Amino acid sequence: MLRLRNIQVRRFASSQTNNDGYEQLTQLGRKIGLSASPDEAELEKVPNQHPDSDYCARFTCPEFTSLCPVTGQPDFAHLVIDYVPSKWLLESKSLKLYLQSFRNHGDFHEACTVAIGKRIEDFVKPKWLRIGGYWYPRGGIPIDIFFQSGAKPKGVWVPDQAVPPYRGRG
């Protein structure tokens, strides 16, 4: 136990925290290199401690990048991923590394956005999932892509994704 300005801080050993299901994680807390492709990137999951409650979890990636499959030029997007967990939660560091694996991946906006949504859906099997891909202009045209896994469960508050439409310099 540490004393800092009369405040007691207790250091928790792993046996003192609820880490059920966390021992299988291979990325969190470790230095992990970037995967060569999204197919090689590994997502990880942990048990949902509240599977009996419907709630929305949100991941936001404001600096997503991939490559144009034709020109090889970089494409940029703001991704918002909302899901209502079932038995599993998506571990955030593995998601970050998965999304970063698209940096050297060439594909169209639609393919990237929908592939991310489907991969997460297949992996954690949420009650509901949606992803909004707000892509910055290519050829002067911004492209927004939306994927949803079905109807949102009743009674779940899902806030607006709050990404303003692209306005350019106007």
Side-chain angles (χ1 to χ4, degrees), residues 33-42 64-66 94-106 119:
L34 191 60
S35 296
S37 72
D39 291 338
E40 293 179 22
E42 290 192 34
F64 179 83
T65 59
S66 66
S94 74
L95 175 63
K96 176 186 80 169
L97 294 170
Y98 170 62
L99 295 177
Q100 288 176 348
S101 73
F102 280 84
R103 287 184 177 172
N104 295 315
H105 176 75
R119 175 108 183 249

Side-chain angles (χ1 to χ4, degrees), residues 45-66:
K45 59 189 174 186
V46 296
N48 180 5
Q49 294 182 7
H50 302 283
D52 57 332
S53 299
D54 286 345
Y55 61 93
C56 181
R58 172 172 287 174
F59 292 105
T60 304
C61 180
E63 298 177 351
F64 179 83
T65 59
S66 66

Side-chain angles (χ1 to χ4, degrees), residues 58 78 80-82 130-134 146 158-164:
R58 172 172 287 174
H78 183 136
V80 180
I81 302 165
D82 295 317
R130 81 170 173 194
I131 179 171
Y134 302 88
F146 306 98
V158 179
D160 183 76
Q161 291 192 339
V163 178

Side-chain angles (χ1 to χ4, degrees), residues 14 39 45 71 77 90 101 141 158 169-170:
S14 61
D39 291 338
K45 59 189 174 186
T71 66
L90 185 58
S101 73
I141 300 173
V158 179
R169 297 182 185 173

